[in-house]
Coordinates of all heavy atoms in Angstrom, one line a residue:
M75 N 50.7 16.7 -11.4 CA 49.7 15.7 -11.1 C 48.6 16.4 -10.3 O 48.9 17.1 -9.3 CB 50.4 14.6 -10.2 CG 49.4 13.6 -9.8 SD 50.2 12.2 -9.0 CE 50.3 12.8 -7.3
H76 N 47.4 16.3 -10.7 CA 46.3 16.9 -10.1 C 45.7 15.9 -9.0 O 45.5 14.7 -9.3 CB 45.2 17.2 -11.1 CG 44.0 17.8 -10.5 ND1 44.0 19.1 -9.9 CD2 42.7 17.3 -10.3 CE1 42.8 19.3 -9.4 NE2 42.0 18.3 -9.6
S77 N 45.5 16.4 -7.8 CA 45.0 15.5 -6.7 C 43.8 16.2 -6.1 O 44.0 17.3 -5.5 CB 46.1 15.3 -5.7 OG 45.6 14.6 -4.6
P78 N 42.7 15.6 -6.1 CA 41.5 16.1 -5.4 C 41.7 16.3 -3.9 O 41.2 17.2 -3.3 CB 40.4 15.1 -5.7 CG 40.8 14.4 -6.9 CD 42.3 14.4 -6.9
N79 N 42.5 15.4 -3.3 CA 42.8 15.4 -1.9 C 43.6 16.7 -1.6 O 43.3 17.4 -0.5 CB 43.6 14.2 -1.4 CG 42.7 13.0 -1.5 OD1 41.5 13.0 -1.3 ND2 43.4 11.8 -1.7
L80 N 44.5 17.1 -2.4 CA 45.3 18.3 -2.2 C 44.4 19.5 -2.3 O 44.5 20.5 -1.6 CB 46.5 18.4 -3.1 CG 47.7 17.5 -2.7 CD1 48.8 17.6 -3.7 CD2 48.2 17.8 -1.3
D81 N 43.4 19.5 -3.3 CA 42.5 20.6 -3.5 C 41.6 20.7 -2.2 O 41.3 21.8 -1.8 CB 41.6 20.3 -4.7 CG 42.4 20.4 -6.0 OD1 43.5 21.1 -6.0 OD2 41.9 19.9 -7.0
L82 N 41.2 19.6 -1.7 CA 40.4 19.6 -0.5 C 41.2 20.2 0.7 O 40.7 21.0 1.5 CB 39.9 18.2 -0.1 CG 39.0 18.1 1.1 CD1 37.7 18.9 0.9 CD2 38.7 16.6 1.4
L83 N 42.4 19.8 0.8 CA 43.3 20.3 1.9 C 43.5 21.8 1.8 O 43.4 22.5 2.8 CB 44.6 19.5 1.9 CG 45.6 19.9 3.0 CD1 45.1 19.5 4.3 CD2 47.0 19.2 2.7
R84 N 43.7 22.2 0.6 CA 43.9 23.7 0.3 C 42.6 24.4 0.6 O 42.6 25.5 1.3 CB 44.3 23.9 -1.1 CG 44.5 25.4 -1.4 CD 44.8 25.7 -2.9 NE 45.8 24.9 -3.5 CZ 45.6 24.1 -4.5 NH1 44.4 24.0 -5.1 NH2 46.5 23.4 -5.1
A85 N 41.5 23.9 0.2 CA 40.2 24.6 0.5 C 39.9 24.7 2.0 O 39.5 25.7 2.5 CB 39.1 23.8 -0.2
Y86 N 40.2 23.6 2.7 CA 40.0 23.6 4.2 C 40.9 24.7 4.8 O 40.4 25.4 5.6 CB 40.3 22.2 4.8 CG 40.3 22.2 6.3 CD1 39.1 22.2 7.0 CD2 41.5 22.4 7.0 CE1 39.1 22.3 8.3 CE2 41.5 22.4 8.4 CZ 40.2 22.3 9.0 OH 40.2 22.4 10.4
A87 N 42.2 24.7 4.4 CA 43.1 25.7 4.9 C 42.6 27.1 4.7 O 42.6 27.9 5.6 CB 44.5 25.4 4.4
V88 N 42.3 27.4 3.5 CA 41.9 28.8 3.1 C 40.6 29.1 3.8 O 40.5 30.3 4.4 CB 41.7 28.9 1.6 CG1 41.0 30.2 1.2 CG2 43.0 28.8 0.9
L89 N 39.6 28.3 3.9 CA 38.4 28.6 4.5 C 38.5 28.8 6.0 O 37.8 29.7 6.6 CB 37.3 27.5 4.2 CG 36.8 27.5 2.8 CD1 35.9 26.4 2.5 CD2 36.1 28.9 2.5
T90 N 39.3 27.9 6.7 CA 39.4 28.1 8.1 C 40.1 29.4 8.5 O 39.7 30.1 9.4 CB 40.2 26.9 8.8 OG1 41.4 26.8 8.2 CG2 39.4 25.7 8.7
V91 N 41.1 29.8 7.7 CA 41.8 31.1 8.0 C 40.8 32.2 7.7 O 40.7 33.2 8.4 CB 43.1 31.2 7.1 CG1 43.7 32.6 7.2 CG2 44.1 30.2 7.6
Y92 N 40.1 32.1 6.6 CA 39.2 33.2 6.2 C 38.1 33.4 7.3 O 37.9 34.5 7.7 CB 38.5 32.9 4.8 CG 37.4 33.8 4.5 CD1 37.7 35.1 4.0 CD2 36.1 33.4 4.7 CE1 36.7 36.0 3.7 CE2 35.0 34.3 4.3 CZ 35.3 35.6 3.9 OH 34.3 36.4 3.6
F93 N 37.5 32.3 7.7 CA 36.4 32.4 8.7 C 37.0 32.8 10.0 O 36.3 33.5 10.8 CB 35.6 31.1 8.7 CG 34.6 31.0 7.6 CD1 34.7 30.1 6.6 CD2 33.5 31.9 7.6 CE1 33.8 30.0 5.6 CE2 32.6 31.8 6.5 CZ 32.7 30.9 5.5
G94 N 38.2 32.3 10.3 CA 38.8 32.8 11.6 C 39.0 34.3 11.6 O 38.6 34.9 12.6
H95 N 39.5 34.9 10.5 CA 39.6 36.3 10.4 C 38.2 37.0 10.5 O 38.0 38.1 11.1 CB 40.3 36.7 9.2 CG 41.8 36.6 9.3 ND1 42.5 35.4 8.9 CD2 42.8 37.4 9.8 CE1 43.7 35.5 9.1 NE2 44.0 36.7 9.7
L96 N 37.2 36.4 9.8 CA 35.9 37.0 9.8 C 35.3 37.0 11.2 O 34.7 38.0 11.6 CB 35.0 36.2 8.8 CG 33.6 36.7 8.6 CD1 33.7 38.1 7.8 CD2 32.8 35.7 7.8
F97 N 35.4 35.9 11.9 CA 34.9 35.8 13.3 C 35.6 36.8 14.2 O 34.9 37.5 15.0 CB 35.0 34.4 13.9 CG 34.1 33.4 13.2 CD1 34.5 32.1 13.2 CD2 32.9 33.8 12.7 CE1 33.7 31.1 12.6 CE2 32.0 32.8 12.1 CZ 32.4 31.5 12.1
L98 N 36.9 36.9 14.0 CA 37.6 37.9 14.9 C 37.3 39.3 14.5 O 37.3 40.2 15.4 CB 39.1 37.6 14.8 CG 39.6 36.3 15.4 CD1 41.1 36.1 15.2 CD2 39.3 36.3 16.9
T99 N 37.0 39.6 13.3 CA 36.6 40.9 12.9 C 35.3 41.3 13.6 O 35.1 42.5 14.0 CB 36.4 41.0 11.4 OG1 37.6 40.7 10.7 CG2 35.9 42.4 10.9
F100 N 34.4 40.4 13.7 CA 33.1 40.6 14.4 C 33.2 40.3 15.9 O 32.2 40.2 16.6 CB 32.0 39.8 13.8 CG 31.6 40.3 12.4 CD1 31.9 39.6 11.3 CD2 31.0 41.6 12.3 CE1 31.6 40.0 10.1 CE2 30.7 42.0 11.0 CZ 31.0 41.3 9.9
Q101 N 34.4 40.2 16.4 CA 34.8 40.0 17.9 C 34.1 38.8 18.5 O 33.6 38.8 19.6 CB 34.4 41.3 18.6 CG 35.2 42.5 18.2 CD 34.8 43.8 18.9 OE1 33.8 43.8 19.6 NE2 35.6 44.8 18.7
V102 N 34.0 37.7 17.7 CA 33.6 36.4 18.2 C 34.9 35.7 18.6 O 35.7 35.4 17.7 CB 32.8 35.6 17.1 CG1 32.5 34.2 17.6 CG2 31.6 36.4 16.6
E103 N 35.0 35.4 19.9 CA 36.2 34.7 20.3 C 36.1 33.2 20.5 O 37.1 32.5 20.4 CB 36.6 35.3 21.7 CG 37.0 36.8 21.6 CD 37.5 37.3 22.9 OE1 37.8 36.5 23.8 OE2 37.6 38.6 23.0
Y104 N 34.9 32.7 20.6 CA 34.7 31.3 20.8 C 33.7 30.7 19.8 O 32.6 31.3 19.6 CB 34.2 31.0 22.3 CG 35.3 31.2 23.3 CD1 35.4 32.4 24.0 CD2 36.1 30.1 23.6 CE1 36.4 32.6 24.9 CE2 37.1 30.3 24.6 CZ 37.2 31.5 25.2 OH 38.2 31.7 26.2
I105 N 34.0 29.6 19.3 CA 33.0 28.9 18.4 C 32.1 28.1 19.3 O 30.9 28.1 19.1 CB 33.8 28.0 17.4 CG1 34.6 28.9 16.4 CG2 32.8 27.1 16.6 CD1 35.4 28.1 15.4
T106 N 32.7 27.3 20.2 CA 31.9 26.7 21.3 C 32.5 27.1 22.6 O 33.5 27.9 22.6 CB 32.0 25.1 21.1 OG1 33.3 24.7 21.3 CG2 31.5 24.7 19.8
S107 N 32.0 26.6 23.7 CA 32.5 27.1 25.0 C 34.0 26.7 25.2 O 34.7 27.3 26.0 CB 31.6 26.5 26.1 OG 31.7 25.1 26.1
R108 N 34.5 25.6 24.5 CA 35.8 25.2 24.6 C 36.7 25.4 23.4 O 37.9 25.0 23.5 CB 35.8 23.7 25.0 CG 35.1 23.4 26.3 CD 35.1 22.0 26.7 NE 36.5 21.6 26.9 CZ 36.9 20.3 26.9 NH1 36.0 19.4 26.7 NH2 38.1 20.0 27.1
F109 N 36.2 25.8 22.3 CA 36.9 25.9 21.1 C 37.1 27.4 20.6 O 36.1 28.0 20.2 CB 36.2 25.1 20.0 CG 37.1 24.8 18.8 CD1 38.3 24.1 18.9 CD2 36.7 25.1 17.5 CE1 39.1 23.9 17.8 CE2 37.4 24.9 16.4 CZ 38.6 24.2 16.6
M110 N 38.3 27.9 20.7 CA 38.5 29.3 20.4 C 38.6 29.5 18.9 O 39.1 28.6 18.2 CB 39.8 29.8 21.1 CG 39.7 29.9 22.6 SD 41.2 30.5 23.3 CE 41.2 32.2 22.7
V111 N 38.2 30.7 18.4 CA 38.3 31.0 17.0 C 39.8 31.0 16.6 O 40.2 30.6 15.5 CB 37.6 32.4 16.7 CG1 38.0 32.8 15.3 CG2 36.2 32.2 16.9
Y112 N 40.7 31.5 17.4 CA 42.1 31.6 17.1 C 42.6 30.2 16.8 O 43.4 30.0 15.9 CB 42.9 32.2 18.3 CG 44.3 32.2 18.1 CD1 44.9 33.2 17.3 CD2 45.2 31.2 18.6 CE1 46.3 33.2 17.1 CE2 46.5 31.2 18.4 CZ 47.1 32.2 17.6 OH 48.4 32.2 17.4
D113 N 42.2 29.2 17.6 CA 42.7 27.8 17.4 C 42.1 27.3 16.1 O 42.8 26.5 15.4 CB 42.2 26.9 18.5 CG 42.9 27.2 19.9 OD1 44.0 27.8 19.8 OD2 42.3 27.0 20.9
F114 N 40.9 27.6 15.8 CA 40.3 27.2 14.5 C 41.1 27.8 13.3 O 41.5 27.0 12.4 CB 38.9 27.8 14.5 CG 38.1 27.5 13.2 CD1 37.7 26.2 12.8 CD2 37.8 28.6 12.4 CE1 37.0 26.0 11.7 CE2 37.1 28.3 11.2 CZ 36.7 27.1 10.9
A115 N 41.4 29.1 13.4 CA 42.2 29.7 12.3 C 43.6 29.1 12.2 O 44.2 28.9 11.2 CB 42.2 31.2 12.4
Q116 N 44.2 28.8 13.4 CA 45.6 28.3 13.4 C 45.7 27.0 12.8 O 46.7 26.6 12.2 CB 46.0 28.3 14.9 CG 47.5 28.1 15.1 CD 48.3 29.3 14.6 OE1 47.7 30.4 14.5 NE2 49.5 29.1 14.3
T117 N 44.6 26.1 12.9 CA 44.7 24.8 12.2 C 44.7 25.0 10.7 O 45.4 24.3 10.0 CB 43.5 23.9 12.6 OG1 42.3 24.6 12.2 CG2 43.4 23.6 14.0
G118 N 44.0 26.0 10.2 CA 44.1 26.3 8.8 C 45.5 26.7 8.3 O 46.0 26.3 7.3
V119 N 46.2 27.5 9.1 CA 47.6 27.9 8.8 C 48.5 26.6 8.8 O 49.3 26.5 7.9 CB 48.1 28.9 9.8 CG1 49.6 29.2 9.6 CG2 47.3 30.2 9.7
L120 N 48.3 25.8 9.8 CA 49.1 24.6 9.8 C 48.8 23.6 8.7 O 49.8 23.1 8.1 CB 48.9 23.8 11.2 CG 49.3 24.6 12.4 CD1 48.9 23.8 13.7 CD2 50.8 24.9 12.4
F121 N 47.6 23.5 8.3 CA 47.2 22.7 7.1 C 47.8 23.3 5.8 O 48.2 22.6 4.9 CB 45.7 22.5 7.0 CG 45.2 21.4 7.8 CD1 45.0 21.5 9.1 CD2 44.8 20.2 7.1 CE1 44.5 20.4 9.9 CE2 44.3 19.1 7.9 CZ 44.2 19.2 9.2
F122 N 47.9 24.6 5.8 CA 48.5 25.3 4.6 C 50.0 24.9 4.5 O 50.5 24.7 3.4 CB 48.3 26.8 4.7 CG 48.0 27.4 3.3 CD1 47.0 28.4 3.3 CD2 48.6 27.0 2.2 CE1 46.7 29.0 2.0 CE2 48.3 27.5 1.0 CZ 47.3 28.5 0.9
F123 N 50.7 24.9 5.6 CA 52.1 24.5 5.6 C 52.2 23.1 5.2 O 53.2 22.8 4.4 CB 52.7 24.7 7.0 CG 53.1 26.1 7.3 CD1 52.5 26.8 8.4 CD2 54.0 26.8 6.5 CE1 52.9 28.1 8.7 CE2 54.3 28.1 6.8 CZ 53.8 28.8 7.9
V124 N 51.4 22.2 5.6 CA 51.4 20.8 5.2 C 51.2 20.7 3.7 O 51.9 20.0 3.0 CB 50.4 19.9 6.0 CG1 50.3 18.6 5.4 CG2 50.8 19.9 7.4
H125 N 50.2 21.4 3.2 CA 49.9 21.4 1.8 C 51.0 21.9 0.9 O 51.4 21.3 -0.1 CB 48.6 22.3 1.5 CG 48.3 22.4 0.1 ND1 48.8 23.5 -0.7 CD2 47.5 21.7 -0.8 CE1 48.4 23.3 -1.9 NE2 47.6 22.3 -2.0
T126 N 51.6 23.0 1.4 CA 52.8 23.6 0.6 C 53.9 22.6 0.6 O 54.6 22.4 -0.4 CB 53.2 24.9 1.3 OG1 52.1 25.8 1.2 CG2 54.3 25.5 0.5
S127 N 54.2 22.0 1.7 CA 55.3 21.0 1.8 C 55.0 19.8 0.8 O 55.9 19.4 0.1 CB 55.4 20.5 3.2 OG 55.7 21.5 4.1
L128 N 53.8 19.3 0.8 CA 53.5 18.2 -0.1 C 53.6 18.6 -1.5 O 54.2 17.8 -2.3 CB 52.1 17.7 0.2 CG 51.8 17.0 1.5 CD1 50.3 16.7 1.7 CD2 52.6 15.7 1.5
V129 N 53.2 19.8 -1.9 CA 53.2 20.2 -3.3 C 54.7 20.4 -3.7 O 55.1 20.0 -4.8 CB 52.4 21.5 -3.5 CG1 52.7 22.1 -4.9 CG2 50.9 21.1 -3.4
L130 N 55.5 21.0 -2.9 CA 56.9 21.3 -3.2 C 57.7 20.0 -3.3 O 58.5 19.8 -4.2 CB 57.5 22.2 -2.1 CG 57.1 23.6 -2.1 CD1 57.7 24.4 -1.0 CD2 57.4 24.3 -3.5
L131 N 57.4 19.1 -2.4 CA 58.1 17.8 -2.4 C 57.7 17.0 -3.6 O 58.6 16.3 -4.3 CB 57.9 17.0 -1.1 CG 58.6 17.6 0.1 CD1 58.2 16.8 1.3 CD2 60.1 17.5 -0.1
Q132 N 56.5 17.0 -4.0 CA 56.0 16.3 -5.2 C 56.7 16.9 -6.5 O 57.1 16.2 -7.4 CB 54.5 16.3 -5.4 CG 53.8 15.4 -4.5 CD 52.3 15.4 -4.6 OE1 51.8 16.3 -5.3 NE2 51.6 14.5 -4.0
S133 N 56.8 18.2 -6.5 CA 57.5 18.9 -7.6 C 58.9 18.5 -7.7 O 59.4 18.2 -8.8 CB 57.3 20.4 -7.4 OG 58.0 21.1 -8.4
I134 N 59.6 18.5 -6.6 CA 61.0 18.1 -6.6 C 61.2 16.6 -7.0 O 62.0 16.2 -7.7 CB 61.7 18.4 -5.2 CG1 61.8 19.9 -5.1 CG2 63.0 17.7 -5.1 CD1 62.2 20.3 -3.7
D135 N 60.3 15.8 -6.5 CA 60.3 14.3 -6.7 C 60.1 14.0 -8.2 O 60.7 13.1 -8.8 CB 59.3 13.6 -5.9 CG 59.5 12.1 -5.9 OD1 60.6 11.7 -5.8 OD2 58.4 11.4 -5.9
R136 N 59.3 14.8 -8.9 CA 59.0 14.6 -10.3 C 60.2 15.0 -11.2 O 60.2 14.8 -12.4 CB 57.8 15.4 -10.8 CG 56.5 14.7 -10.3 CD 55.3 15.3 -11.1 NE 55.3 16.8 -10.9 CZ 54.5 17.4 -10.1 NH1 53.7 16.7 -9.3 NH2 54.5 18.7 -10.0
G137 N 61.1 15.7 -10.6 CA 62.3 16.2 -11.3 C 62.1 17.4 -12.1 O 62.9 17.8 -12.9
Q138 N 61.0 18.1 -11.9 CA 60.7 19.4 -12.6 C 61.6 20.5 -12.1 O 61.9 21.4 -12.8 CB 59.3 19.8 -12.4 CG 58.3 18.9 -13.1 CD 56.9 19.3 -12.9 OE1 56.6 20.1 -12.0 NE2 56.0 18.7 -13.7
T139 N 62.0 20.4 -10.9 CA 62.8 21.5 -10.3 C 64.0 20.8 -9.6 O 63.8 20.1 -8.6 CB 62.0 22.3 -9.3 OG1 60.8 22.7 -9.9 CG2 62.8 23.4 -8.7
P140 N 65.2 21.1 -10.0 CA 66.4 20.5 -9.3 C 66.4 21.1 -7.9 O 66.2 22.3 -7.7 CB 67.6 21.0 -10.1 CG 67.0 21.4 -11.4 CD 65.6 21.8 -11.2
P141 N 66.7 20.3 -6.9 CA 66.6 20.8 -5.5 C 67.5 22.0 -5.1 O 67.0 22.9 -4.5 CB 67.0 19.6 -4.7 CG 66.8 18.4 -5.5 CD 67.0 18.9 -6.9
V142 N 68.8 22.0 -5.5 CA 69.7 23.0 -5.1 C 69.3 24.4 -5.6 O 69.1 25.4 -4.9 CB 71.1 22.7 -5.3 CG1 72.1 23.8 -5.0 CG2 71.5 21.4 -4.6
P143 N 69.1 24.6 -7.0 CA 68.7 25.9 -7.5 C 67.3 26.3 -6.9 O 67.1 27.5 -6.7 CB 68.6 25.7 -9.0 CG 69.5 24.5 -9.3 CD 69.4 23.6 -8.1
F144 N 66.5 25.3 -6.7 CA 65.1 25.7 -6.2 C 65.3 26.3 -4.8 O 64.7 27.3 -4.5 CB 64.3 24.4 -6.1 CG 63.0 24.6 -5.3 CD1 62.0 25.2 -5.8 CD2 63.0 24.1 -4.0 CE1 60.8 25.4 -5.1 CE2 61.8 24.2 -3.3 CZ 60.7 24.9 -3.8
Y145 N 66.1 25.7 -3.9 CA 66.3 26.2 -2.6 C 67.0 27.5 -2.6 O 66.7 28.4 -1.7 CB 67.0 25.2 -1.7 CG 66.1 24.0 -1.3 CD1 66.4 22.7 -1.6 CD2 64.9 24.2 -0.6 CE1 65.6 21.7 -1.3 CE2 64.1 23.2 -0.3 CZ 64.4 21.9 -0.6 OH 63.6 20.9 -0.2
I146 N 67.9 27.7 -3.5 CA 68.6 29.0 -3.6 C 67.6 30.1 -4.0 O 67.6 31.2 -3.4 CB 69.8 28.9 -4.5 CG1 70.9 28.0 -3.9 CG2 70.3 30.3 -4.9 CD1 72.0 27.7 -4.9
R147 N 66.8 29.8 -4.9 CA 65.7 30.8 -5.3 C 64.8 31.1 -4.2 O 64.4 32.3 -4.0 CB 64.9 30.3 -6.5 CG 65.6 30.5 -7.8 CD 64.7 30.3 -9.0 NE 63.8 29.2 -8.9 CZ 64.0 27.9 -9.3 NH1 65.2 27.7 -9.9 NH2 63.1 27.0 -9.2
R148 N 64.4 30.1 -3.4 CA 63.5 30.3 -2.3 C 64.2 31.2 -1.2 O 63.5 32.0 -0.6 CB 63.1 29.0 -1.7 CG 62.2 28.1 -2.5 CD 60.9 28.7 -2.7 NE 60.1 28.6 -1.5 CZ 58.8 29.0 -1.5 NH1 58.2 29.4 -2.6 NH2 58.1 28.9 -0.4
I149 N 65.4 30.9 -1.0 CA 66.1 31.7 0.1 C 66.2 33.2 -0.3 O 65.9 34.1 0.5 CB 67.6 31.2 0.3 CG1 67.5 29.9 1.1 CG2 68.4 32.2 1.0 CD1 68.8 29.1 1.1
F150 N 66.5 33.5 -1.6 CA 66.6 34.9 -2.0 C 65.2 35.5 -2.2 O 65.1 36.7 -2.3 CB 67.4 35.0 -3.3 CG 68.9 34.9 -3.1 CD1 69.6 33.8 -3.4 CD2 69.5 35.9 -2.4 CE1 70.9 33.7 -3.2 CE2 70.9 35.8 -2.1 CZ 71.6 34.7 -2.5
R151 N 64.2 34.7 -2.3 CA 62.8 35.2 -2.4 C 62.2 35.6 -1.0 O 61.6 36.6 -0.9 CB 61.9 34.2 -3.1 CG 60.5 34.8 -3.3 CD 59.6 33.7 -4.0 NE 60.1 33.3 -5.2 CZ 59.8 32.2 -5.8 NH1 58.9 31.4 -5.3 NH2 60.4 31.8 -6.9
I152 N 62.5 34.8 0.0 CA 61.9 34.9 1.3 C 62.8 35.7 2.2 O 62.3 36.6 3.0 CB 61.6 33.5 1.9 CG1 60.5 32.8 1.0 CG2 61.2 33.6 3.3 CD1 60.3 31.4 1.3
Y153 N 64.1 35.4 2.2 CA 65.0 36.0 3.2 C 65.1 37.5 3.2 O 64.9 38.2 4.3 CB 66.4 35.4 3.1 CG 67.3 35.7 4.2 CD1 67.2 35.2 5.4 CD2 68.4 36.6 4.0 CE1 68.0 35.5 6.5 CE2 69.3 36.9 5.0 CZ 69.1 36.4 6.2 OH 69.9 36.7 7.3
P154 N 65.2 38.2 2.1 CA 65.2 39.7 2.1 C 64.0 40.3 2.7 O 64.1 41.3 3.5 CB 65.4 40.1 0.6 CG 66.0 38.9 0.0 CD 65.4 37.7 0.7
L155 N 62.8 39.8 2.4 CA 61.6 40.4 2.9 C 61.5 40.1 4.4 O 61.1 41.0 5.2 CB 60.4 39.8 2.2 CG 59.0 40.3 2.7 CD1 59.0 41.8 2.4 CD2 57.9 39.6 1.9
S156 N 61.9 39.0 4.9 CA 61.9 38.7 6.3 C 62.9 39.6 7.1 O 62.5 40.1 8.2 CB 62.2 37.2 6.6 OG 63.5 36.9 6.3
V157 N 64.0 39.9 6.5 CA 65.0 40.8 7.2 C 64.4 42.2 7.2 O 64.5 42.9 8.2 CB 66.4 40.8 6.4 CG1 67.2 41.9 6.9 CG2 67.0 39.4 6.7
L158 N 63.8 42.6 6.1 CA 63.2 44.0 6.0 C 62.1 44.1 7.0 O 61.9 45.1 7.7 CB 62.7 44.2 4.6 CG 62.1 45.6 4.3 CD1 63.1 46.7 4.5 CD2 61.4 45.6 3.0
T159 N 61.3 43.1 7.2 CA 60.2 43.1 8.2 C 60.7 43.2 9.6 O 60.2 44.0 10.4 CB 59.3 41.8 8.0 OG1 58.8 41.7 6.7 CG2 58.1 41.9 9.0
V160 N 61.7 42.4 9.9 CA 62.3 42.5 11.3 C 62.9 43.9 11.5 O 62.7 44.5 12.6 CB 63.4 41.4 11.5 CG1 64.2 41.6 12.7 CG2 62.7 40.1 11.5
L161 N 63.6 44.5 10.5 CA 64.2 45.8 10.7 C 63.1 46.9 10.8 O 63.2 47.8 11.6 CB 65.1 46.1 9.5 CG 66.4 45.3 9.5 CD1 67.2 45.6 8.2 CD2 67.2 45.5 10.7
A162 N 62.0 46.7 10.1 CA 60.9 47.7 10.2 C 60.3 47.6 11.6 O 59.9 48.6 12.2 CB 59.9 47.4 9.1
M163 N 60.1 46.4 12.1 CA 59.5 46.2 13.4 C 60.4 46.8 14.5 O 59.9 47.5 15.4 CB 59.2 44.7 13.7 CG 58.2 44.1 12.8 SD 56.6 45.0 12.9 CE 56.1 44.6 14.5
L164 N 61.7 46.7 14.3 CA 62.6 47.3 15.3 C 62.6 48.8 15.2 O 62.7 49.5 16.2 CB 64.0 46.7 15.1 CG 64.3 45.3 15.5 CD1 65.7 44.8 15.0 CD2 64.1 45.1 16.9
A165 N 62.5 49.3 14.0 CA 62.5 50.8 13.8 C 61.3 51.4 14.3 O 61.3 52.6 14.8 CB 62.7 51.1 12.3
F166 N 60.1 50.8 14.2 CA 58.9 51.4 14.5 C 58.3 50.9 15.9 O 57.1 51.3 16.2 CB 57.8 51.1 13.4 CG 58.2 51.8 12.1 CD1 58.5 51.1 11.0 CD2 58.2 53.2 12.0 CE1 58.8 51.7 9.8 CE2 58.6 53.8 10.9 CZ 58.8 53.0 9.7
Q167 N 59.0 50.3 16.7 CA 58.4 49.8 17.9 C 58.2 50.8 19.0 O 58.6 51.8 19.2 CB 59.2 48.6 18.5 CG 60.6 48.9 19.1 CD 61.1 47.7 19.8 OE1 60.4 47.2 20.7 NE2 62.2 47.2 19.5

């Protein structure tokens, strides 16, 4: 199911993270006197998590992906890389 609202949410998330990184690259720390660039970029990350959750739940709700095999695939896709990252950080600290 195509949703313009989800496209808008995804676009907002991507653009805020992109411009947040761009501003920080040029060492701009504040957008206004009270609004930090980090907070701006962080909202994009949070919106991306919301978007991903909505898309995954809609996919499961439509019955395209059975929940248990889907979660097992996700665990084996994400977990090994996260363990490797933590081990690398411990080794190179």
